Amino acid sequence: MSINQLFAGPHTSLTRFFKTICTTSLVALCLLDSTCRQTPDVPTGACAARQHECTSACRVVIPSIQGRYACASLPLDFKRAAATKAFASPRVAPGAIPVATAFQLHSRPNATKKIYLDFDGHTTTGTPWSSSPIVTTAFDMDSSPTTFSAAELATITEIWQRVAECYSPFDVDVTTEAPTVADLINTGGSDTKWGIRVLFGASNPSPAPGAGGVAFVGGFGWNYSSSADVPCFVLQQGMGTEAKYNADAAVHEVGHTLGLSHDGLYPANDARHVEYYEGQGTGKVAWAPHLGVGYYVPLVQWSKGEYANPSNTEDDLQIITTQNGFGYRPDDFANSQALAAAIPGTVSGSNFNVNVNGVIETGADSDWFKITAGAGSLTINAVGGPANSMLDIQLSLYNSSGTLVTTANPSDDIIATLTQTLTAGTYYLKVEGVPLGNALTTGYTDYGSLGQYALTGSYVNATAGSAPVLGGTNNQFYGVTQSPKNLNVGLTVTDSDSPTLASATVKITNVIASQDVLRANLATATTGNITASYNSSSGVMTLTSANATATVAQFQAALRTVAYSNTSSTPNMTPRNVEFQVSDGKNLSNISPCVVTLGYFYVNSDFNTSTRTLTLTDDVGDNSVTVTLSSGKLTVTGNGPTKIGTAASSAASVSYNVTGNINLAFNFSGGSDTVSVTGVSSTTSTINLGNGNDTLTMTLCNITSLTVDGGLGTDVVTLSGTNVTNRVYTNVP
């Protein structure tokens, strides 16, 4: 294969440079170092230039731009790619991600460093790539560049999955959602956000005609211009439209922007330098480095030259994590048997069904899980990421004394299945990335055996112990409010044989994702080490305890703090069904139901001047209402979404211009209401507080006839500076 490395100077057009050095589509250049070796022949139709042991006299010296060089990668050999496609395909089908989200994908959305995969076209100006604008048209599979078909969106999604997998060990967000230019440029000082744009598409003019892609080495977050970021390119004319090949090229080019150089060879049997190492091995474990050529093998990893006769022994991982403003992502699971937590999953009948998604972040990382099993069969299936897996997985099972029981690590695949018949007891499962064979011949080390994995399977659930029990009085929460309201303050949690619990869930079974929110107040000593996370799409809040050490009482306290709120000013009024459930790590409790019934506060906007009556009602709920008459203006203010007449409104206040006496007709339903009236003179006022613990305060009022019905509950009525001639209280202390 040819060397496709080029150097761009500040006053040299790349296109002009290509034409000067080589009249064909590829560039064969001598490496600019003292050990520069002979360049091999390049493919048919490419530049046929060969240079032998370089001297200073024969080197092509092109000045760098701010110390950065442009480096072009090989295009795809389509015939060869077709022959190896079976091995190049993912062993696990890409995840079922809706194509509608193809341009909203994030691997780590909160990360401040971004790898932006840009598919919808871009014009590159104000960069060192060219003195003229470079127009990159949209990624296109059907000769219709103005729209994206379902097939194109699916391919874009898979490319994202593959690139995200390769960068999954790091604290960086691989995204298809466009950041701002400012978020791609490192301006120094207090700036914490930067990254790189990867342009996919057909470019005309191209910064590297005939290449697979091109990037500036060290260009990640390059502050070349305040108005334009400096992208790298994956060129469709050189790569076609297959997801794997575009992803391989993207990982390679982004690697350059992170400071990495090519992984090649100095073959022992001749003096030629091979710029791009194509890897070694066969079948599903054929391997190549990311900065070599990974198109034709299934397993492509980061490298530090641990193969025979490497031309480059730089430490990819060290460079990536120390020179670009981000490091490794945080560890997700315990790294030792002593700290192992109960393996995630669910109980189904007599079985525990395993469901784990994790990441091996570093070569030193291993993830440990505790299994409490009954007598019977154990099966654990381990696969890598949904596409482009780098991880060669080994599963190891240990008994409670730390003795190895069995391992699973096939020599012809990177996935693993562990099966074992167990006696009842406690076991520990270790997940790690491993090497294969001899790295100097057909294998690889465990250096780059990193990335995502998923565990599924089952074992017999431990029969000892009984399930926890939920009880108490379930609140039925009425009303609409913008503030969270506790759902189940009377919930009780018991477990006859276990002082601790592992987890709990609170689920809105008919969630409206755009409106419904669950929160938990866990910042107290009463909730121990319990943490909570809420998935707005599924409506599920999950509460977990590290190593399942939180007590039953702590879980009860935590669940009593779970609160519901609705973010809409005009909410969907369908009652929400909420289910509480806990697990002791072996058994699930009963489900404790709760209903969230929603309602509006109503203000009668038809203030009748003849009857001079203000009518207030509420649908359901806890409401706080103030009525104030001052200087001829009557103002009514509620505490949440309000209907004025029949029209829903986000406004909670309405005013009327009035003079003289007015009559009050208030009719509240369930809930605990707070009603305040100030400055009103009234002939007749009738106030029904409804059922609940209500409070009525009347300040500086003059009322001829006042009737108050407190309904059920404990009510408080306070008259401050108020004159009442005739008063009738019913159900009021």
Side-chain angles (χ1 to χ4, degrees):
M1 301 298 244
S2 70
I3 299 175
N4 288 283
Q5 187 168 14
L6 59 100
F7 303 90
H11 307 295
T12 304
S13 162
L14 291 178
T15 302
R16 188 182 309 117
F17 175 65
F18 277 117
K19 292 179 179 178
T20 301
I21 302 299
C22 183
T23 58
T24 53
S25 62
L26 295 178
V27 180
L29 295 181
C30 188
L31 286 178
L32 305 184
D33 60 30
S34 60
T35 60
C36 187
R37 304 287 184 98
Q38 175 187 4
T39 316
D41 290 326
V42 296
T44 301
C47 178
R50 280 177 84 129
Q51 298 200 6
H52 294 269
E53 195 73 20
C54 284
T55 66
S56 59
C58 78
R59 296 177 191 167
V60 181
V61 180
I62 305 294
S64 65
I65 301 176
Q66 298 183 17
R68 295 172 174 86
Y69 300 93
C71 199
S73 62
L74 291 172
L76 183 68
D77 183 333
F78 291 92
K79 184 176 180 181
R80 185 176 178 191
T84 59
K85 188 174 180 180
F87 288 144
S89 300
R91 276 170 293 288
V92 182
I97 300 175
V99 296
T101 67
F103 296 106
Q104 304 168 14
L105 301 171
H106 292 265
S107 62
R108 287 186 62 76
N110 294 326
T112 59
K113 310 305 182 291
K114 304 288 184 182
I115 299 172
Y116 170 41
L117 310 183
D118 189 348
F119 294 91
D120 59 358
H122 184 73
T123 299
T124 303
T125 60
T127 76
W129 283 121
S130 175
S131 58
S132 302
I134 300 174
V135 179
T136 302
T137 58
F139 182 81
D140 184 25
M141 298 169 58
D142 56 8
S143 299
S144 181
T146 59
T147 59
F148 289 98
S149 66
E152 289 170 329
L153 294 174
T155 298
I156 289 169
T157 299
E158 185 180 341
I159 292 172
W160 169 82
Q161 287 180 300
R162 290 176 174 276
V163 177
E165 167 61 21
C166 295
Y167 286 96
S168 63
F170 313 116
D171 191 18
V172 62
D173 181 28
V174 180
T175 181
T176 59
E177 186 170 15
T180 65
V181 170
D183 286 345
L184 295 176
I185 296 173
N186 180 7
T187 59
S190 61
D191 191 5
T192 61
K193 298 180 179 181
W194 59 85
I196 188 69
R197 181 193 305 266
V198 188
L199 286 171
F200 295 79
S203 297
N204 188 19
S206 167
V214 65
F216 277 101
V217 177
F220 191 80
W222 186 3
N223 186 22
Y224 182 84
S225 165
S226 62
S227 60
D229 58 284
V230 181
C232 62
F233 296 81
V234 175
L235 305 170
Q236 189 170 330
Q237 67 265 36
M239 298 309 303
T241 59
E242 287 278 351
K244 171 176 166 58
Y245 310 129
N246 277 269
D248 284 342
V251 174
H252 180 112
E253 300 307 334
V254 172
H256 281 316
T257 74
L258 296 171
L260 305 183
S261 301
H262 286 148
D263 288 314
L265 285 176
Y266 286 144
N269 59 350
D270 74 28
R272 295 185 301 170
H273 169 249
V274 177
E275 179 74 3
Y276 305 86
Y277 183 45
E278 298 181 13
Q280 56 198 35
T282 60
K284 296 178 180 180
V285 291
W287 171 92
H290 284 304
L291 272 292
V293 181
Y295 306 144
Y296 316 112
V297 298
L299 184 61
V300 192
Q301 298 178 335
W302 303 111
S303 174
K304 60 176 180 178
E306 295 176 302
Y307 52 89
N309 305 309
S311 64
N312 178 15
T313 58
E314 67 183 13
D315 190 330
D316 286 357
L317 300 177
Q318 192 271 340
I319 292 172
I320 291 173
T321 57
T322 62
Q323 299 183 16
N324 296 285
F326 63 87
Y328 294 101
R329 67 189 294 158
D331 195 9
D332 49 1
F333 293 107
N335 207 30
S336 69
Q337 178 177 328
L339 298 176
I343 193 167
T346 58
V347 175
S348 177
S350 61
N351 281 340
F352 186 92
N353 296 325
V354 174
N355 185 10
V356 179
N357 290 283
V359 178
I360 299 298
E361 297 90 6
T362 71
D365 185 32
S366 58
D367 291 350
W368 288 77
F369 303 95
K370 182 179 180 181
I371 294 174
T372 305
S377 177
L378 165 75
T379 300
I380 302 291
N381 303 302
V383 298
N388 230 52
S389 179
M390 303 185 297
L391 181 64
D392 188 343
I393 305 172
Q394 176 170 288
L395 301 177
S396 303
L397 186 69
Y398 297 81
N399 62 22
S400 58
S401 62
T403 301
L404 179 66
V405 177
T406 187
T407 61
N409 178 30
S411 61
D412 60 351
D413 209 336
I414 63 173
I415 65 177
T417 297
L418 186 150
T419 59
Q420 184 70 26
T421 300
L422 304 178
T423 58
T426 300
Y427 299 85
Y428 295 89
L429 181 71
K430 180 183 182 183
V431 183
E432 60 187 322
V434 293
L436 176 70
N438 186 350
L440 299 179
T441 54
T442 60
Y444 42 84
T445 70
D446 65 350
Y447 173 86
S449 193
L450 311 170
Q452 301 179 81
Y453 66 87
L455 304 181
T456 58
S458 66
Y459 57 88
V460 177
N461 193 35
T463 57
S466 58
V469 177
L470 299 183
T473 302
N474 298 325
N475 285 351
Q476 291 191 320
F477 166 65
Y478 299 93
V480 171
T481 178
Q482 300 296 322
S483 302
K485 301 290 286 226
N486 288 1
L487 288 174
N488 210 335
V489 296
L491 182 74
T492 61
V493 185
T494 58
D495 195 322
S496 62
D497 63 352
S498 177
T500 61
L501 298 175
S503 63
T505 57
V506 183
K507 180 180 182 180
I508 306 173
T509 62
N510 57 339
V511 66
I512 298 175
S514 61
Q515 298 184 5
D516 300 334
V517 177
L518 294 178
R519 297 178 174 88
N521 180 16
L522 304 179
T524 67
T526 61
T527 60
N529 66 0
I530 298 171
T531 58
S533 62
Y534 177 64
N535 185 320
S536 59
S537 298
S538 63
V540 176
M541 171 177 281
T542 303
L543 297 91
T544 56
S545 165
N547 301 317
T549 56
T551 66
V552 171
Q554 287 170 334
F555 265 98
Q556 177 177 281
L559 289 170
R560 287 180 174 183
T561 73
V562 176
Y564 170 88
S565 63
N566 193 296
T567 62
S568 175
S569 61
T570 55
N572 184 306
M573 307 303 287
T574 302
R576 310 298 199 268
N577 300 312
V578 184
E579 296 181 346
F580 290 71
Q581 194 171 37
V582 300
S583 170
D584 59 10
K586 303 174 187 176
N587 302 294
L588 290 171
S589 73
N590 59 302
I591 291 174
S592 178
C594 181
V595 179
V596 180
T597 304
L598 306 175
Y600 282 106
F601 170 58
Y602 292 85
V603 178
N604 189 341
S605 61
D606 186 18
F607 183 77
N608 193 315
T609 56
S610 62
T611 62
R612 307 188 62 77
T613 301
L614 172 69
T615 302
L616 306 181
T617 66
D618 70 345
D619 184 3
V620 293
D622 303 338
N623 283 296
S624 176
V625 185
T626 63
V627 178
T628 302
L629 181 59
S630 177
S631 302
K633 177 176 284 188
L634 177 67
T635 303
V636 182
T637 304
N639 67 319
T642 303
K643 282 191 174 182
I644 302 174
T646 59
S649 173
S650 60
S653 181
V654 61
S655 298
Y656 307 95
N657 294 320
V658 300
T659 58
N661 288 357
I662 65 171
N663 297 316
L664 305 179
F666 297 173
N667 188 21
F668 294 86
S669 58
S672 297
D673 304 307
T674 300
V675 185
S676 298
V677 182
T678 301
V680 170
S681 296
S682 171
T683 302
T684 303
S685 293
T686 301
I687 301 175
N688 295 316
L689 296 174
N691 299 327
N693 300 322
D694 308 301
T695 299
L696 171 65
T697 302
M698 305 189 78
T699 304
L700 301 176
C701 297
N702 291 291
I703 301 175
T704 303
S705 178
L706 174 65
T707 301
V708 179
D709 188 346
L712 302 178
T714 301
D715 306 304
V716 177
V717 177
T718 302
L719 306 180
S720 178
T722 293
N723 298 316
V724 178
T725 304
N726 298 305
R727 175 171 46 186
V728 178
Y729 286 177
T730 305
N731 297 318
V732 177

